[in-house]
Amino acid sequence: MKVKFDGRVYDTETATLLVGYTNGLPITDDYYVDTFLYVKKNGEYFLHCHGGAKSEYSFIKDNKAFGGEHIIPIMNKKLKYWVSGHSELINFMLFLASAKK
């Protein structure tokens, strides 16, 4: 996914995926959420998020909720908050990466 926001380009094809999170629900579930943390070559971070109609990533059209997909630029304070809320996942991903060596 590629999005231009405030004159900056956020592209999942050219950025490096650091870690991903899913709440484990099927993609067809209204509460489904997955979030992927990326870093651009210039050091900027962003989230690529998907969610069901009743998730935090939904959108409303004609008074009806739909699942959505978003790119969210993430700055230092928000990055620290996101990382702290997903520390178990990040530790597990680091464990897997070290086990491959």
Side-chain angles (χ1 to χ4, degrees):
M1 179 177 196
K2 185 177 181 178
V3 172
K4 190 172 185 178
F5 183 76
D6 281 344
R8 295 185 166 135
V9 176
Y10 300 90
D11 187 351
T12 58
E13 295 293 320
T14 59
T16 301
L17 175 63
L18 297 176
V19 66
Y21 164 80
T22 181
N23 62 5
L25 297 173
I27 197 166
T28 55
D29 192 289
D30 283 345
Y31 293 96
Y32 167 80
V33 168
D34 69 21
T35 308
F36 301 93
L37 177 63
Y38 285 86
V39 63
K40 295 169 44 173
K41 292 176 185 169
N42 67 0
E44 290 180 77
Y45 294 89
F46 67 94
L47 298 172
H48 180 208
C49 312
H50 302 90
K54 294 183 180 177
S55 75
E56 62 190 290
Y57 304 120
S58 66
F59 67 95
I60 306 293
K61 183 177 180 181
D62 298 327
N63 289 330
K64 185 170 180 176
F66 294 90
E69 178 180 22
H70 304 278
I71 294 283
I72 302 170
I74 190 163
M75 303 306 165
N76 289 338
K77 284 186 179 181
K78 286 184 181 179
L79 177 62
K80 288 177 186 176
Y81 176 78
W82 190 87
V83 167
S84 68
H86 298 86
S87 60
E88 290 178 12
L89 168 74
I90 292 167
N91 288 336
F92 179 68
M93 297 298 286
L94 291 172
F95 169 77
L96 289 179
S98 67
K100 289 182 180 180
K101 292 181 181 178

